[in-house]
Amino acid sequence: MSEQQVAAPVGATAAAVGSGPEAGGVPGAGAKEFVGRSPGQLAWLRLRRDKVALVSGGVLIFFVVLAAAAPLVARLYGKGPQERFPERLDRNGFPLGYAGVSGEHWFGIQPGIGRDIFIQVVYGLRTSLMIAFIAAVLTIALGVVVGIVAGYVGGWVDAVISWVIDLALAFPFYIFCFALVPLAVNQFYGPRDEVSPWFRPSLLVLIFVLFNWTISARLVRGQVLSLREREFVEAARASGAGLGHILFRQLLPNLWAPILVTFSLNVPALITAEAALSFLGIGVLEPTPDLGRLINDSVRYLRDVPSFTIVGGTTLFLLVLAFNLFGDSLRDALDPKSSR
């Protein structure tokens, strides 16, 4: 390599540095200005360059907006989630035509009941996303508080919390749900009482929080163990800062990256768990629309009306897949060593 080739980048750098007003240069004379970026800005740039993140994020925005605007969609569509159309069924309860699909019923008619499948899917998305988001927020909040206390305080506090985490992880989730949900319903409602539509979703949120906080707690505890001996924590401790200040003003801001990734991956897991419980008959029941129960209702008509199963299953599949892909892209974007 010649001396001119070696000297060219140095000269270019000097020109860029010495062209500002402080160096006597002329501003805007073709010189490149170096701008520092925060870790959040760098992560956002990586995320914007990731085509998988853009596509999956767009799909998620579509599903979230569709679920949030479910009442408006029902008004514009002209059909409610509990509205039935028995005239669109034959004497055996099967939809007329091809699965009942028409300009008035985009995804067809639900066999046996006569409800519009499209509006059931829209309100089912709303139910699944609402339960998953609320449970994920509460789960992350509890896990972060427990994990940050266990990792920083250590000693017997860390030992007790670790023992509780191991105990919670030892419980079989679905067997526990099969035992707890009917017991809780019978405890609050009699055999002839009508169960409130918010009771089972609230119960599912409580169960998800009890079982899923351990994941975020272990992650945060491990991160805090590596951060508690850092210089900024020692400086805060030496200046007389209290425990709350160190935990939530010094350590917590350095944990947002793993917390966001955990949240983005926890939501699809909760959506799948909620759909599975509703599919098994111990989650959300009638009359609340739900994707898991919609798939369960469609199984008996799989041979005669396969599109009924395909619609509910494909919607759930795309929702979970988009969340997982976006979570993976977010993890790569927040990783400083990532080349993406």
Side-chain angles (χ1 to χ4, degrees):
M1 183 178 293
S2 65
E3 295 181 359
Q4 292 179 350
Q5 289 175 321
V6 174
V10 178
T13 305
V17 174
S19 61
E22 295 81 5
V26 180
K32 294 183 179 180
E33 183 178 354
F34 295 95
V35 180
R37 294 187 176 93
S38 65
Q41 291 174 326
L42 293 175
W44 173 244
L45 289 176
R46 295 192 194 101
L47 205 62
R48 290 175 57 185
R49 290 197 297 264
D50 192 344
K51 295 181 180 179
V52 175
L54 294 178
V55 174
S56 59
V59 174
L60 288 180
I61 292 175
F62 171 75
F63 279 134
V64 171
V65 172
L66 185 65
L72 178 61
V73 172
R75 183 178 302 176
L76 296 176
Y77 188 59
K79 300 167 186 64
Q82 305 304 328
E83 191 175 354
R84 303 191 180 193
F85 303 91
E87 70 279 1
R88 301 288 300 175
L89 302 176
D90 60 17
R91 65 180 63 184
N92 296 319
F94 292 103
L96 298 175
Y98 181 75
V101 177
S102 64
E104 296 181 357
H105 306 281
W106 296 349
F107 290 170
I109 298 294
Q110 185 174 351
I113 301 179
R115 291 186 298 207
D116 184 86
I117 296 178
F118 171 74
I119 207 66
Q120 287 290 308
V121 169
V122 172
Y123 273 84
L125 280 171
R126 189 185 193 192
T127 302
S128 298
L129 287 174
M130 180 185 65
I131 294 175
F133 270 114
I134 295 176
V137 170
L138 296 179
T139 295
I140 294 296
L142 179 60
V144 167
V145 172
V146 173
I148 201 171
V149 170
Y152 181 78
V153 176
W156 66 268
V157 175
D158 185 23
V160 171
I161 292 177
S162 298
W163 180 83
V164 173
I165 291 176
D166 293 335
L167 182 64
L169 291 174
F171 274 93
F173 174 71
Y174 287 103
I175 295 178
F176 182 83
C177 292
F178 270 105
L180 178 64
V181 172
L183 181 63
V185 173
N186 295 332
Q187 187 71 24
F188 288 93
Y189 296 93
R192 297 184 178 180
D193 295 336
E194 182 179 358
V195 179
S196 175
W198 58 264
F199 181 78
R200 282 182 176 268
S202 302
L203 186 59
L204 290 181
V205 169
L206 177 61
I207 293 175
F208 290 152
V209 172
L210 289 177
F211 274 90
N212 285 274
W213 67 271
T214 55
I215 300 174
S216 55
R218 275 193 165 180
L219 176 65
V220 171
R221 174 185 174 274
Q223 295 289 327
V224 172
L225 287 176
S226 63
L227 290 174
R228 66 180 183 180
E229 303 301 332
R230 298 281 293 272
E231 292 81 2
F232 67 93
V233 178
E234 293 289 345
R237 192 184 299 117
S239 64
L243 179 62
H245 177 85
I246 295 176
L247 294 182
F248 301 106
R249 298 293 297 274
Q250 299 295 329
L251 292 173
L252 185 59
N254 294 277
L255 300 172
W256 283 117
I259 289 173
L260 288 175
V261 173
T262 303
F263 178 83
S264 64
L265 296 177
N266 199 17
V267 172
L270 293 174
I271 292 175
T272 305
E274 185 275 328
L277 291 177
S278 298
F279 180 85
L280 295 173
I282 58 174
V284 178
L285 301 180
E286 293 282 1
T288 305
D290 183 81
L291 291 179
R293 197 190 69 251
L294 189 68
I295 297 174
N296 184 22
D297 295 341
S298 68
V299 171
R300 71 188 72 175
Y301 303 104
L302 181 59
R303 186 185 65 177
D304 299 309
V305 192
S307 61
F308 185 18
T309 305
I310 292 174
V311 167
T314 302
T315 303
L316 182 62
F317 170 76
L318 291 177
L319 179 63
V320 174
L321 179 63
F323 263 113
N324 285 327
L325 292 178
F326 186 79
D328 290 338
S329 299
L330 181 63
R331 178 180 55 195
D332 294 335
L334 293 173
D335 185 5
K337 299 179 181 179
S338 176
S339 59
R340 297 177 62 178

